[in-house]
Amino acid sequence: MRHRYQNRIELLQGTLDLLVLQTLQWGPQHGYGISQSIRINSGDVLDVETGSLYPALHRLERWRLIKSEWKTSANKQRVKQYQLTAAGKKKLLGERSRWDALTAAIAGVLKPQE
Amino acid sequence: MRLPLWRRNQDDDLRTELNSHFKMAVQERLDRGESLETAESAVRREFGNDLLVREVTRQQWGWIWFDQFLQDLRYGARTLLKAPGFTLVALATLALGIGVNTALFSVVNAVLLSPLPYPHPEQLVTLHMSKPNFETGAIPFPNFRDWQRQNQTFSAMALSRANSTTLIGLGETEYIRINFVTSDFFSILGVQPLKGRNFLQGEDELGGPALVQISEGLWKRKFGASEDTVGKTLNLGGSVYTIVGIIPASFDLQLGSFSPTDVYLPLGQWGNNALKSRRAALGLHGIGRIKPGLTIEQARADMDVVSQNLAAAFPDTNTGMKANLIPIKQSMTGRVQPVLLLLLGAVGFVLLIACLNVASLLLARSQKRSREFAIRAALGAGRMRMIRQLLTESVLLSIAGGAIGVLIAAIITRAAVGVLPQTMPRLHNIRLDSHVLLFSLLISLAAGIAFGLAPAWKTSRPELQSKLQTSDRRTSAERHSLQNSLVVVEIATALVLLVGAGLMLRTLTRLWSVDPGFETRNMMLFGVSLSPSLANAPPATIRASLRELHDAIQATPGVDAVSLRDGSSPMGDEDDIYFWLANQPRPLSDSAMNWTLRYLVQPGYLKATKIPLLRGRFFSEQDTEKSPPVVVVDDVFASTYFPREEALGKRIRWGPEPREEAEIVGIVGHVKQWGLDSDDTNSLRAQLYQAFDQQADDQIGPNNRLILRASGPPLQLLPTLKRTVQQLNAENAMFDATTMEQVKSGTLQTRQISMVLLASFAGLALLLAAVGIYGVIAYLVGRRTQEFGIRMALGAQRAQVLFMVMAEGARIAAFGVTLGVVLALALTRLMTKMLFGIKPTDPSTFAAVSVLLAMIALVACYLPARRAMEVDPMVALRYE
């Protein structure tokens, strides 16, 4: 079991981080909210598992790319909200351009040669 | 897994976070119209294993190594507790090793390392006058004044001179030690009086005001710490002084020439006219503070110029005389530094042996655990991980050992402060402060890693197959050889320490058997200060009282001989004069004159000391202030200054006055003035005796010292003597009684202490090494029980088996001794200066120590070897 999750993290690392940062660009959000918006924005294609999401969130927090705050929700629930830090915003821009370059390159390779 | 307290909060937070996620997901499904049951089970399915999610998330916190460390720590503690025998031996070994190191380091720290309690101690120097053949001579007062005026590099300089007087009034009359100081003495050291002030410029001149500073101790003792003490007066030896300042008790300067006293007077109050002479050094030594920003080299260069100018201005007294500047710390600790460093090296060796011992214990134990680790490796544990675990275990052991060691050190240092000579500089500074504790922590850590690394490396070696397949009773000979070499190094190190201790022991035996030139047994030294009423009496009256005193003591039962004395005292005070031969013109400068130690004694001195009279006569009752001056010299004096002629009957002169010329009437044996060890090498060895009674009137005073030979143990005479002295005058006071035996052993004290310490360290090392070799042989025998059984079953004699085991032990011992001899040959050279009469490579010491060590090693082997011999073949074979 453990190995399954670990492999998944490694597989998604970077990509998942990018997705999380991108999601938080629109404002503070808790873990559940992040997973939902990734799912919805990807048209239900990407379903982030908790076993990947939370390690990613805690890792990003430790790298100080995001920061967290405890809030009390409407129905008196203690929830932990994450938001981008300045370093996180910078990182996001860098990662995005790298991602664009990467997808363009992959698309170029995949496109049948004329 | 239990988490430490501060981590539990973080874990609780994570639970809450995941829980809220769970609830929100459920809520959303409920909102979509699902039933609670379906919603929860769906979410739970999506969510996956909650525990695992937490686990992988926690790993992101960067605490894994710490968790593993705690795990290792717990595991280590459990393993150690499960092997109490091993743990106890290892702990005791380490505690002893770390304990002696901590104790000695606390001494080194206090004496050598910790900064002096004065502002900017790096600017402080002691000042001396360097004369031909004598580096640290005293400074004549006029020269000092010139130094003060002409130097460019000092913010201030000061002189001090110890003396004694009687304190009158304020209770019983007391003999007290005092110091004469010049004005800047306390301000140079940054000492602020508790009350009042320091002496001012000019108050230290001859004929200056009669002022005094007293210690906080005297202030409390005699004045009840009263606020209005400053301004009151003090009667010292019949003269009255006004108290201007109180020196705090925290002032504790110990220099060769200075110890704190209860009373400080301005130097001018000495009233000694010789203060005006450039010839008279009078035991004045100085301290100075170099200006901020300047180095001692710059100050030396400056003072060289000053000295040259003075030599040009006063060629007859100052030729060859130079100011000598020594950093104050070096002056204080220079004498003990080599001894302390030698001892620190020795305890370092003890710790090394302790570590080797524990390492070899761990190796033996790792044998038993190799299967445990092979299984772990098979289950996927990494090698570094296993090494880390084993190291955690050994460091845990060493830290625990270190903690016990610090307790041992606390006991040792407390005892040491009582046993060490009180004149040792900065003795009361010794304590287990943060530096010392940090040192113990560091050596504990280092020891833990040092003795743990090799066994950890070996144990964790992944030879999975072989270890899992074989039973653990047969393995490589390689492990063995590592263990053997540990013991070889142990024996070698112990040998080095033993040789060191042996050399010191032989040095001391040699020194004790050196003939000091007189008979120390039953000799006593003491002082008598006559009643203060005599302080200003005419010299003739004092002479009469002194004669009366001499006769009364001479008549006391149990007294064989007595003499009043002044000047030098054998192995004690030093006094020297310049002289020239009376039939020659006075040399132009003092440095061109002859130089001799001077003793002022009475006729009874010869019998009191049992110095042999070689030729001529000694003083008699007829040699008085009225008779022609006569002197007696020792054979060194005679052969130095009259190498080819008879010294008897020759005349010498030491001053311009008529009575400063005398005939040599006798020649006596040489006395080892400079101690049993260093007398032969001292440049000043000639000895001159003048008759005490022929001293000039101004040299006669009420404070006098005597030397006495008793017919039995001399200190038993003390009560009788005290009665005798006080029957003459109830105000007479006796002081400073000591035996010559004490003086003699005092000169050997440093060596004696180092020998005792070295011997204890060597003994400890020997014990540890013996345990080490015992352990290795016992282990070897244990592992070869089966082999012995087979051998005996096949017909080997028991003696053969015994011999086989002993031969193995002897081989290790031989290697160890050989290596030790080589090491010792290289290292004992460092202690050459502490030795006397033997070379650092003294063959008989080396041989004796080697034999001793080899014997002990063999005895340590014999015990387990006997066990091998008694193996019952049947039992051994069935054992497997």
Side-chain angles (χ1 to χ4, degrees):
Chain A
M1 279 302 272
R2 178 177 175 155
H3 287 283
R4 209 188 60 162
Y5 277 117
Q6 279 180 338
N7 290 342
R8 186 66 68 91
I9 292 169
E10 273 167 305
L11 200 70
L12 288 177
Q13 191 152 17
T15 320
L16 178 57
D17 290 0
L18 176 61
L19 292 179
V20 170
L21 293 176
Q22 171 74 20
T23 308
L24 287 175
Q25 194 182 195
W26 311 114
Q29 190 64 280
H30 45 67
Y32 180 69
I34 294 169
S35 75
Q36 288 306 88
S37 48
I38 290 176
R39 191 168 59 81
I40 293 163
N41 287 332
S42 67
D44 280 350
V45 175
L46 294 174
D47 194 2
V48 185
E49 289 182 49
T50 41
S52 304
L53 176 67
Y54 284 94
L57 284 172
H58 284 238
R59 180 172 59 241
L60 290 170
E61 187 175 9
R62 188 155 76 92
W63 291 343
R64 306 204 192 292
L65 295 176
I66 60 177
K67 58 186 179 190
S68 68
E69 211 175 352
W70 285 95
K71 287 267 160 68
T72 311
S73 72
N75 48 356
K76 304 244 157 105
Q77 271 253 306
R78 255 163 53 81
V79 292
K80 198 178 182 189
Q81 279 206 334
Y82 296 91
Q83 70 183 88
L84 277 185
T85 62
K89 282 178 192 150
K90 235 166 84 185
K91 178 86 174 172
L92 175 61
L93 287 177
E95 289 297 301
R96 271 179 65 167
S97 50
R98 268 184 55 196
W99 177 258
D100 290 343
L102 183 68
T103 45
I106 291 176
V109 172
L110 293 183
K111 200 157 56 175
Q113 297 281 324
E114 303 283 312
Chain B
M1 185 173 64
R2 266 167 60 91
L3 292 167
L5 204 59
W6 68 92
R7 298 268 322 275
R8 264 175 238 159
N9 282 332
Q10 205 175 353
D11 200 43
D12 285 346
D13 282 352
L14 177 59
R15 268 176 218 248
T16 317
E17 186 177 11
L18 293 176
N19 195 27
S20 73
H21 180 114
F22 183 83
K23 281 187 178 160
M24 282 187 273
V26 171
Q27 188 62 44
E28 197 174 294
R29 282 174 183 266
L30 288 177
D31 291 350
R32 264 187 258 156
E34 293 181 22
S35 77
L36 182 64
E37 208 174 317
T38 3
E40 281 196 347
S41 73
V43 171
R44 202 161 285 138
R45 215 172 27 250
E46 272 172 28
F47 207 89
N49 183 345
D50 172 61
L51 263 178
L52 200 50
V53 171
R54 272 180 20 226
E55 166 88 43
V56 291
T57 307
R58 267 202 304 259
Q59 284 184 1
Q60 303 300 324
W61 294 349
W63 285 98
I64 322 167
W65 67 269
F66 189 76
D67 287 341
Q68 288 175 344
F69 172 69
L70 287 182
Q71 213 176 352
D72 289 350
L73 215 55
R74 267 193 300 271
Y75 186 79
R78 256 202 319 265
T79 331
L80 290 177
L81 287 178
K82 259 194 289 182
F86 160 80
T87 308
L88 219 62
V89 172
L91 273 186
T93 308
L94 288 168
L96 279 176
I98 296 173
V100 290
N101 273 275
T102 302
L104 207 79
F105 181 78
S106 71
V107 176
V108 169
N109 180 51
V111 176
L112 300 184
L113 300 182
S114 69
L116 296 171
Y118 309 108
H120 294 285
E122 72 285 353
Q123 298 168 354
L124 292 172
V125 294
T126 58
L127 300 168
H128 313 271
M129 182 87 124
S130 132
K131 310 170 186 189
N133 304 328
F134 199 54
E135 295 266 284
T136 54
I139 312 164
F141 192 47
N143 273 336
F144 171 74
R145 285 295 192 224
D146 290 334
W147 288 3
Q148 276 184 309
R149 271 192 294 272
Q150 297 179 18
N151 86 80
Q152 312 284 329
T153 47
F154 280 83
S155 28
M157 292 177 172
L159 290 179
S160 72
R161 167 64 150 89
N163 209 326
S164 60
T165 184
T166 46
L167 175 60
I168 302 163
L170 306 169
E172 200 176 322
T173 299
E174 262 181 75
Y175 165 85
I176 57 164
R177 293 171 193 289
I178 65 167
N179 272 298
F180 291 113
V181 296
T182 60
S183 300
D184 290 322
F185 189 82
F186 287 109
S187 58
I188 285 174
L189 296 168
V191 175
Q192 290 296 326
L194 274 184
K195 308 260 171 213
R197 59 171 177 88
N198 286 326
F199 300 130
L200 304 178
Q201 296 300 326
E203 288 180 344
D204 53 4
E205 291 292 350
L206 273 166
L211 306 177
V212 60
Q213 286 188 312
I214 62 171
S215 71
E216 187 179 347
L218 191 78
W219 178 50
K220 289 185 169 150
R221 198 150 52 83
K222 294 290 186 188
F223 295 93
S226 133
E227 287 295 321
D228 57 355
T229 304
V230 171
K232 286 192 170 167
T233 59
L234 205 62
N235 186 333
L236 297 169
S239 309
V240 175
Y241 295 84
T242 307
I243 299 171
V244 295
I246 293 160
I247 299 298
S250 58
F251 171 67
D252 183 25
L253 178 70
Q254 291 281 355
L255 283 174
S257 53
F258 184 91
S259 301
T261 51
D262 276 338
V263 167
Y264 303 93
L265 293 176
L267 181 60
Q269 296 303 310
W270 197 0
N272 189 333
N273 276 324
L275 283 175
K276 294 174 191 156
S277 159
R278 266 180 210 280
R279 241 175 257 294
L282 302 174
L284 295 165
H285 289 270
I287 55 172
R289 183 177 281 282
I290 300 172
K291 284 182 181 160
L294 297 185
T295 64
I296 189 168
E297 285 74 28
Q298 289 169 307
R300 278 188 179 129
D302 176 36
M303 289 305 290
D304 281 350
V305 173
V306 172
S307 303
Q308 280 159 20
N309 291 344
L310 288 175
F314 309 100
D316 56 338
T317 54
N318 282 50
T319 306
M321 305 286 190
K322 256 182 67 179
N324 182 11
L325 282 55
I326 302 176
I328 197 163
K329 198 160 190 177
Q330 190 185 327
S331 291
M332 288 172 89
T333 60
R335 201 169 44 88
V336 292
Q337 184 171 7
V339 182
L340 283 180
L341 293 183
L342 176 78
L343 291 175
L344 197 63
V347 291
F349 275 2
V350 173
L351 184 60
L352 175 65
I353 295 181
C355 284
L356 292 171
N357 237 350
V358 177
S360 105
L361 281 172
L362 277 176
L363 269 183
R365 223 167 70 97
S366 74
Q367 200 66 39
K368 290 182 193 150
R369 296 178 68 183
S370 60
R371 264 158 64 93
E372 170 197 338
F373 278 89
I375 292 169
R376 291 175 147 228
L379 292 179
R383 183 157 187 214
M384 286 324 280
R385 183 73 192 79
M386 289 197 286
I387 290 182
R388 225 172 83 193
Q389 188 204 326
L390 285 164
L391 277 185
T392 310
E393 213 173 296
S394 60
V395 168
L396 181 69
L397 197 60
S398 71
I399 297 281
I404 306 173
V406 168
L407 291 182
I408 296 178
I411 298 168
I412 298 179
T413 41
R414 186 162 307 174
V417 173
V419 174
L420 289 173
Q422 294 301 306
T423 49
M424 178 153 156
R426 318 189 70 195
L427 181 69
H428 298 284
N429 210 8
I430 296 175
R431 60 178 156 259
L432 298 179
D433 62 7
S434 55
H435 289 112
V436 177
L437 293 179
L438 186 67
F439 171 83
S440 330
L441 182 68
L442 286 180
I443 60 170
S444 302
L445 277 177
I449 292 169
F451 70 68
L453 206 53
W457 189 257
K458 285 253 155 195
T459 311
S460 63
R461 169 121 66 193
E463 308 160 26
L464 294 185
Q465 286 289 309
S466 63
K467 273 183 194 165
L468 287 175
Q469 279 169 359
T470 63
S471 88
D472 64 1
R473 306 191 56 75
R474 275 177 292 255
T475 33
S476 59
E478 183 193 358
R479 183 181 316 271
H480 228 111
S481 70
L482 175 61
Q483 224 166 326
N484 287 358
S485 31
L486 288 183
V487 175
V488 165
V489 177
E490 252 182 80
I491 293 179
T493 316
L495 185 118
V496 173
L497 286 179
L498 279 172
V499 166
L503 290 173
M504 284 307 289
L505 183 69
R506 296 209 56 192
T507 292
L508 277 170
T509 15
R510 295 236 160 165
L511 282 174
W512 275 114
S513 59
V514 166
D515 177 11
F518 61 103
E519 207 184 295
T520 53
R521 260 189 65 217
N522 294 344
M523 256 174 86
M524 183 166 79
L525 305 161
F526 63 104
V528 172
S529 64
L530 297 178
S531 160
S533 59
L534 284 171
N536 297 313
T541 317
I542 299 180
R543 281 185 202 269
S545 304
L546 289 177
R547 226 159 264 155
E548 208 179 46
L549 176 73
H550 171 270
D551 294 347
I553 293 176
Q554 179 68 69
T556 307
V559 174
D560 281 1
V562 66
S563 160
L564 284 154
R565 54 149 284 265
D566 204 343
S568 303
S569 165
M571 297 183 200
D573 301 340
E574 294 144 29
D575 179 34
D576 51 81
I577 58 165
Y578 295 107
F579 70 93
W580 64 96
L581 304 184
N583 58 2
Q584 289 172 6
R586 182 183 185 287
L588 286 177
S589 83
D590 284 1
S591 54
M593 282 197 226
N594 300 321
W595 199 25
T596 179
L597 286 163
R598 186 234 328 236
Y599 303 77
L600 290 153
V601 300
Q602 292 184 312
Y605 189 81
L606 201 65
K607 198 176 165 201
T609 55
K610 297 205 175 164
I611 295 173
L613 176 66
L614 303 179
R615 295 194 290 283
R617 69 169 179 96
F618 202 66
F619 304 125
S620 74
E621 305 290 343
Q622 279 72 51
D623 297 317
T624 65
E625 71 271 24
K626 291 176 187 100
S627 67
V630 290
V631 292
V632 171
V633 300
D634 78 330
D635 52 348
V636 173
F637 185 110
S639 60
T640 308
Y641 298 119
F642 303 97
R644 277 174 298 275
E645 39 190 343
E646 177 54 83
L648 273 184
K650 297 284 186 316
R651 302 185 69 81
I652 62 164
R653 180 165 267 288
W654 57 90
E657 301 296 323
R659 289 188 69 82
E660 287 179 326
E661 178 181 321
E663 181 188 342
I664 299 173
V665 295
I667 294 167
V668 295
H670 177 74
V671 165
K672 304 242 175 199
Q673 170 69 32
W674 303 100
L676 299 172
D677 47 354
S678 44
D679 191 82
D680 296 346
T681 52
N682 201 286
S683 56
L684 175 57
R685 295 180 72 233
Q687 294 168 347
L688 173 75
Y689 293 85
Q690 294 173 330
F692 185 90
D693 297 311
Q694 291 189 331
Q695 288 180 93
D697 280 353
D698 61 357
Q699 298 297 311
I700 299 286
N703 290 329
N704 286 277
R705 293 177 181 268
L706 296 92
I707 197 163
L708 169 152
R709 173 165 299 280
S711 43
L715 289 180
Q716 288 179 6
L717 275 179
L718 267 182
T720 328
L721 283 174
K722 198 163 184 181
R723 255 198 317 278
T724 310
V725 166
Q726 296 197 327
Q727 265 164 13
L728 293 172
N729 185 328
E731 289 189 300
N732 286 349
M734 258 182 87
F735 59 88
D736 281 0
T738 177
T739 65
M740 192 49 99
E741 289 288 342
Q742 285 170 336
V743 174
K744 179 175 158 188
S745 48
T747 65
L748 302 180
Q749 203 168 31
T750 314
R751 276 207 181 81
Q752 214 152 8
I753 291 173
S754 358
M755 196 238 8
V756 170
L757 289 178
L758 261 184
S760 340
F761 299 152
L764 201 58
L766 187 62
L767 179 74
L768 291 177
V771 170
I773 192 166
Y774 170 86
V776 165
I777 299 295
Y779 167 76
L780 180 130
V781 168
R783 283 171 36 80
R784 288 168 68 185
T785 307
Q786 197 191 4
E787 177 200 326
F788 295 143
I790 295 173
R791 280 175 187 267
M792 281 190 266
L794 293 179
Q797 294 299 304
R798 289 182 184 279
Q800 279 174 307
V801 171
L802 180 77
F803 180 77
M804 231 176 71
V805 177
M806 294 292 284
E808 177 71 18
R811 207 171 58 87
I812 297 175
F815 273 123
V817 167
T818 314
L819 180 63
V821 166
V822 173
L823 278 179
L825 282 174
L827 286 173
T828 49
R829 214 174 307 149
L830 298 176
M831 49 190 296
T832 311
K833 273 196 180 153
M834 301 190 63
L835 301 181
F836 176 85
I838 50 169
K839 289 208 184 90
T841 53
D842 179 50
S844 52
T845 308
F846 272 71
V849 166
S850 302
V851 169
L852 172 74
L853 197 56
M855 300 270 286
I856 286 178
L858 285 181
V859 171
C861 293
Y862 179 72
L863 299 172
R866 263 188 58 132
R867 222 178 307 136
M869 190 175 78
E870 281 155 10
V871 164
D872 180 342
M874 288 316 289
V875 176
L877 290 177
R878 225 181 279 136
Y879 196 20
E880 193 66 348

